[in-house]
Amino acid sequence: MSNIITVKDMCLWYGDNQALKNINIEIPEKNITAFIGPSGCGKSTLLKTFNRMNDLVPDVKITGDIKYNENDIFSKEVDVNSLRKEIGMVFQKPNPFPMSIYDNVAYGPRTHGITNKVKLDEIVEQALRDAAIWDEVKDRLKKSALGMSGGQQQRLCIARALAVQPKVLLMDEPTSALDPISTSRIEELVMELKEKYTIVMVTHNMQQAVRVSNYTAFFLLGELVEFGKTDDIFSHPKDKRTEDYITGRFG
C-alpha cells in the first residue's frame, strides 16, 4: 500500500498561536482516513494545509514538510491551482454557487479550459453519477442549485469537486449540517468513492469514523496523539488520552 500524502515534523502557527505541533502522518492511497478529536484541536487546520487553503489566511507560518506524491507542496515550482485540482475539498456547509446545477459541476472543468459542450456534458453526467445524485437531478440540470435540499446540495458539491478528476478528496465534516437520512447517503457514497479516490475526512462523529474509515487519526490540542487502523484505534487504543476521548470521558 502506498502513501499519497506524507507529513513530516510539521508545525503551524496563526500569528502567535501554535495550532499544530510536530505532526507526522502518512495518508494511505485509496483509503478513507478519518481525523477525530475535540473542537479546536487542529483537525481542519491540517486538512486545509493539504491543498494549501491556509495560504488564504493572514499570518500563517508553517514549518516542516508536506509531500504529495513525493513532491513538496510548498515548493516554488508548485502551481497552487493544479494542486487544488488534484486535491479537492468539500466543506462542512454545502456551498453551491448561485447558478444552475449543470453550471455548478461544469465550473471547474471550464476553469481548466474545457469548453467543448459534448465533453462538458459527459463530465457533468459522470460527476453527478459518481456523487449518486444523477437520477434525482437529470431532468432539472438548468434549474438553480439553490432549490435543492441540503443533502442534495452537499452531493452536488461532491460532484463539483469530482468534476475536475482529483486524486484526493478532503472532506471537512461533510455531514454535520445534514439530517440522518442525508448523512447515511453521504456515508454510503464516500465508501463507494474510495475505489477511485483517496479520502481524508474530518468528523466530530466517532460512530461515523467507525462506520466509514479504514484509518483514524486522533488529535488533541494541536498534537497527533495516535494514528492507525480504525479498528485498532477504537478497540485497542495505545494512548490513555485516545481511550478517554473515545469512551466519552472528555471532548
Side-chain angles (χ1 to χ4, degrees):
M1 183 189 63
S2 57
N3 297 312
I4 193 163
I5 296 173
T6 307
V7 181
K8 207 163 166 210
D9 302 332
M10 181 208 153
C11 299
L12 181 146
W13 290 262
Y14 293 123
D16 295 332
N17 171 36
Q18 187 168 1
L20 292 170
K21 301 167 187 165
N22 295 324
I23 304 294
N24 289 283
I25 189 170
E26 296 183 331
I27 305 292
E29 193 170 15
K30 292 196 178 154
N31 278 275
I32 301 171
T33 300
F35 287 0
I36 62 167
S39 290
C41 66
K43 311 182 291 291
S44 293
T45 297
L46 180 60
L47 191 76
K48 287 177 187 150
T49 308
F50 292 159
N51 69 347
R52 292 188 43 183
M53 292 296 275
N54 285 321
D55 288 15
L56 309 170
V57 182
D59 285 342
V60 164
K61 180 183 155 206
I62 297 172
T63 60
D65 291 323
I66 299 184
K67 290 195 165 140
Y68 164 67
N69 274 339
E70 303 191 354
N71 296 312
D72 174 6
I73 67 164
F74 297 114
S75 150
K76 292 192 171 48
E77 279 79 72
V78 167
D79 172 3
V80 176
N81 287 330
S82 301
L83 180 73
R84 290 187 187 143
K85 180 175 183 285
E86 300 247 326
I87 305 180
M89 182 124 194
V90 176
F91 296 92
Q92 187 168 356
K93 207 165 166 292
N95 58 346
F97 302 139
M99 49 178 77
S100 73
I101 292 170
Y102 182 98
D103 286 338
N104 262 275
V105 184
Y107 184 86
R110 282 180 179 141
T111 311
H112 293 289
I114 296 172
T115 52
N116 178 303
K117 169 114 177 45
V118 176
K119 182 82 180 124
L120 281 172
D121 287 353
E122 277 173 19
I123 291 170
V124 169
E125 178 173 343
Q126 190 57 53
L128 289 166
R129 282 187 186 281
D130 283 352
I133 192 170
W134 170 252
D135 290 337
E136 290 166 57
V137 300
K138 63 184 179 198
D139 300 324
R140 52 187 181 119
L141 295 176
K142 295 287 176 242
K143 296 250 168 59
S144 169
L146 303 180
M148 305 167 86
S149 71
Q152 288 177 324
Q153 287 188 0
Q154 191 62 305
R155 279 181 287 147
L156 176 68
C157 292
I158 292 171
R160 193 174 68 196
L162 298 180
V164 295
Q165 298 177 313
K167 302 279 191 297
V168 179
L169 199 54
L170 307 177
M171 302 182 119
D172 193 2
E173 294 192 52
T175 61
S176 65
L178 303 179
D179 61 89
I181 291 170
S182 299
T183 295
S184 72
R185 296 195 74 165
I186 299 270
E187 288 181 3
E188 282 166 22
L189 168 59
V190 167
M191 290 164 80
E192 284 167 26
L193 290 174
K194 77 166 181 191
E195 301 298 319
K196 293 189 193 172
Y197 307 94
T198 301
I199 296 172
V200 189
M201 182 188 223
V202 167
T203 179
H204 265 121
N205 180 332
M206 281 187 278
Q207 282 69 40
Q208 183 170 68
V210 171
R211 283 193 299 265
V212 306
S213 70
N214 309 99
Y215 293 85
T216 295
F218 169 56
F219 293 85
L220 186 63
L221 302 170
E223 290 178 34
L224 172 57
V225 174
E226 193 165 342
F227 174 64
K229 289 192 166 163
T230 298
D231 294 349
D232 296 341
I233 294 276
F234 282 92
S235 51
H236 311 291
K238 294 189 175 74
D239 192 294
K240 175 91 171 63
R241 293 167 295 175
T242 314
E243 187 181 347
D244 286 350
Y245 181 70
I246 61 180
T247 53
R249 290 200 186 97
F250 73 88

